[in-house]
Amino acid sequence: MMGRKIGNIGTLNIVRATEESIKEIEQINNVGLVLYSRETAHLLPLLNANNIGKTFEIDHDTRSVSGSLTIDSDYLMAFDQTILIMVSGVCIIDKNVTVEQLKQTKCQLYVSGVVYTPPHLHGATGLILRSTSGTIETYEEELPHYTVGNVTLSNGYLEGLNNQTPLLVSGKLSIEPDLDLELFKQKIARVILTGKATLYKHQEQIFHKKATVLGKVEVIPTDYLELKKALSLTKQSIKRFKQRSIYTNKPILIDASVSREAFEKAFSSIHSTSYVVCPENLEDLVYEVLDQIETEVLSFTTHVRMVEKEEWHGDDAEMLNEDTALVVEKSLTLSDSVTPELLGQRLQEIHLFGTIYTVSSSQKALVQRLLQTNHGEVIDLSKQELKEGLDNIGELTL
């Protein structure tokens, strides 16, 4: 009997594993960390894993914390036997902790992320830190402010912080365009971000002086209107824009009903890190207002169909107009009732930014012949092996 197949595991615990439990896993693509004991070290070679980031031997109980853990004097002295705390995120050592308590505690740490400690404990923190795959930072007066998820940095948000607060964010940090930069310097000691930051051009210099970003920084031109969703414009909806400069990282679809005069009145500039779909008669005007040379413009002759995530059967294809330009943003799955002949009759061209799943080689051949823009992948499911298992697991104990 074949075992389970697993895509990715954050932490694999084999401290109490047996040969039988190991054999239940047929294959693992990637493991971030393997925990083992002296008694189970001989099982490591039996793990059928393509990649293992790190192995770590432990000889006592463990606990896991995901997110943020603040360690004060009471926490350190609460354990009567040795224990390893696995922290994935941020570990903050309180100012009330003493060097003597770090020497006496039975608490040991393994931190995947950032350790924040007062300056006077920076060296002594190593007494309880068994290992770290991140950084050790210091803070002065204020405890770090830690948030998981989406954070919008506004003047009101800053007013709620004490002066010189370290700001830790795991997720997305968005800065309001009217943020008081002097208040930012007063309230924020530094920013450590794991994820994505979105800010405006005039904020870029002061932000980078304070910030360490493990991820992506998206910079919006100053005085541009940020569009947070895909934009679909008709002859009516385009009237909302009156010589605006807009910024977007999402697709823009311009309907065939939009006239040249209406488009010229709407936009003075478009900064897009995505693509624009427009009728052929507007293509020259679109290029004139784009301020990014890399932005792709996809023009259509008569009809266009935008697909985010859909599954098509024969009836869906039948309903398409002839000479339709198809734009696939994320995924399109074609069933066996969608014949290549029908697709060939309905579709003029395909612009691919995601994945198209076909169920036969003839479907795939037709799709590839129609590809005009290809930034994705065409997968023939009839050629794929059936996979049974799990894609991703945060923590698995065998």
Side-chain angles (χ1 to χ4, degrees):
M1 182 177 178
M2 298 181 66
R4 289 178 291 171
K5 293 182 179 179
I6 301 174
N8 303 290
I9 300 177
T11 301
L12 177 62
N13 188 334
I14 64 167
V15 170
R16 295 181 176 85
T18 63
E19 286 194 28
E20 289 71 24
S21 64
I22 292 289
K23 289 177 180 177
E24 290 178 1
I25 306 298
E26 181 184 351
Q27 184 178 348
I28 304 170
N29 285 340
N30 302 287
V31 183
L33 171 68
V34 178
L35 302 177
Y36 68 96
S37 63
R38 187 170 302 174
E39 292 75 21
T40 59
H42 68 284
L43 299 177
L44 285 171
L46 301 181
L47 286 174
N48 189 11
N50 294 332
N51 297 290
I52 295 178
K54 190 171 184 178
T55 58
F56 192 75
E57 181 181 331
I58 58 176
D59 53 8
H60 36 251
D61 290 337
T62 65
R63 294 183 185 177
S64 297
V65 176
S66 179
S68 174
L69 174 66
T70 299
I71 293 180
D72 58 16
S73 296
D74 292 338
Y75 188 93
L76 284 178
M77 308 315 295
F79 302 103
D80 54 11
Q81 60 183 8
T82 303
I83 190 167
L84 178 67
I85 310 295
M86 313 285 295
V87 182
S88 177
V90 176
C91 181
I92 301 170
I93 310 297
D94 196 279
K95 295 190 294 292
N96 68 5
V97 171
T98 67
V99 174
E100 191 63 28
Q101 288 169 336
L102 292 176
K103 291 179 180 178
Q104 294 177 0
T105 183
K106 295 184 180 298
C107 172
Q108 298 288 297
L109 298 177
Y110 179 101
V111 181
S112 176
V114 181
V115 179
Y116 251 96
T117 178
H120 71 280
L121 296 178
H122 186 270
T125 300
L127 294 169
I128 63 170
L129 193 61
R130 285 281 304 274
S131 182
T132 178
S133 58
T135 60
I136 302 177
E137 306 283 345
T138 59
Y139 67 93
E140 296 294 338
E141 295 299 325
E142 294 299 322
L143 282 171
H145 185 80
Y146 180 66
T147 306
V148 176
N150 296 331
V151 177
T152 299
L153 206 57
S154 63
N155 292 326
Y157 186 96
L158 291 178
E159 290 287 1
L161 300 177
N162 294 322
N163 289 341
Q164 293 303 294
T165 296
L167 182 63
L168 312 180
V169 179
S170 179
K172 182 179 179 181
L173 177 66
S174 302
I175 301 182
E176 292 282 271
D178 62 346
L179 190 77
D180 185 333
L181 298 182
E182 289 302 316
L183 186 62
F184 177 82
K185 288 192 289 187
Q186 174 189 334
K187 292 291 186 175
I188 301 297
R190 66 176 308 183
V191 178
I192 294 183
L193 170 66
T194 302
K196 180 181 178 181
T198 301
L199 56 131
Y200 288 82
K201 184 67 177 178
H202 67 281
Q203 302 163 339
E204 190 175 13
Q205 184 178 9
I206 190 172
F207 176 78
H208 283 298
K209 284 183 178 180
K210 297 265 191 179
T212 299
V213 179
L214 305 174
K216 180 181 179 183
V217 177
E218 186 175 7
V219 181
I220 303 170
T222 299
D223 296 328
Y224 275 56
L225 173 66
E226 181 190 9
L227 303 178
K228 298 182 179 181
K229 296 181 180 179
L231 184 64
S232 181
L233 294 172
T234 65
K235 64 180 181 180
Q236 296 298 329
S237 62
I238 199 171
K239 294 178 181 178
R240 295 175 296 166
F241 302 94
K242 304 181 188 303
Q243 282 299 293
R244 293 301 303 264
S245 294
I246 63 172
Y247 172 90
T248 183
N249 56 16
K250 300 287 193 283
I252 298 175
L253 171 62
I254 304 171
D255 189 76
S257 65
V258 175
S259 68
R260 291 176 65 86
E261 180 184 8
F263 184 84
E264 287 179 312
K265 288 181 178 179
F267 303 111
S268 60
S269 182
I270 296 176
H271 186 115
S272 171
T273 59
S274 183
Y275 57 87
V276 181
V277 182
C278 69
E280 279 186 342
N281 67 308
L282 295 182
E283 187 174 7
D284 61 322
L285 296 181
V286 171
Y287 275 117
E288 286 178 13
V289 297
L290 289 176
D291 65 5
Q292 289 284 100
I293 195 170
E294 300 89 354
T295 305
E296 289 195 71
V297 178
L298 314 175
S299 63
F300 60 91
T301 307
T302 52
H303 304 285
V304 65
R305 174 69 181 274
M306 297 278 288
V307 170
E308 184 173 4
K309 189 175 182 180
E310 295 182 13
E311 180 177 344
W312 284 6
H313 299 278
D315 292 345
D316 300 295
E318 284 278 6
M319 294 177 64
L320 292 171
N321 293 307
E322 292 188 2
D323 296 327
T324 293
L326 176 66
V327 182
V328 179
E329 171 70 6
K330 291 185 180 178
S331 70
L332 172 63
T333 302
L334 302 175
S335 72
D336 55 5
S337 60
V338 180
T339 65
E341 292 76 20
L342 180 58
L343 282 180
Q345 292 170 6
R346 295 292 192 266
L347 297 181
Q348 182 183 59
E349 59 191 17
I350 298 175
H351 302 281
L352 179 59
F353 295 88
T355 305
I356 296 178
Y357 297 97
T358 65
V359 292
S360 67
S361 55
S362 57
Q363 266 188 356
K364 181 177 181 179
L366 188 280
V367 167
Q368 290 177 322
R369 179 170 67 82
L370 294 175
L371 284 178
Q372 187 72 23
T373 305
N374 188 5
H375 297 300
E377 187 177 12
V378 181
I379 296 177
D380 184 0
L381 295 177
S382 67
K383 306 294 184 183
Q384 300 291 306
E385 291 184 9
L386 182 62
K387 294 183 178 180
E388 295 183 0
L390 301 170
D391 288 334
N392 300 287
I393 297 178
E395 184 172 341
L396 178 64
T397 299
L398 297 180

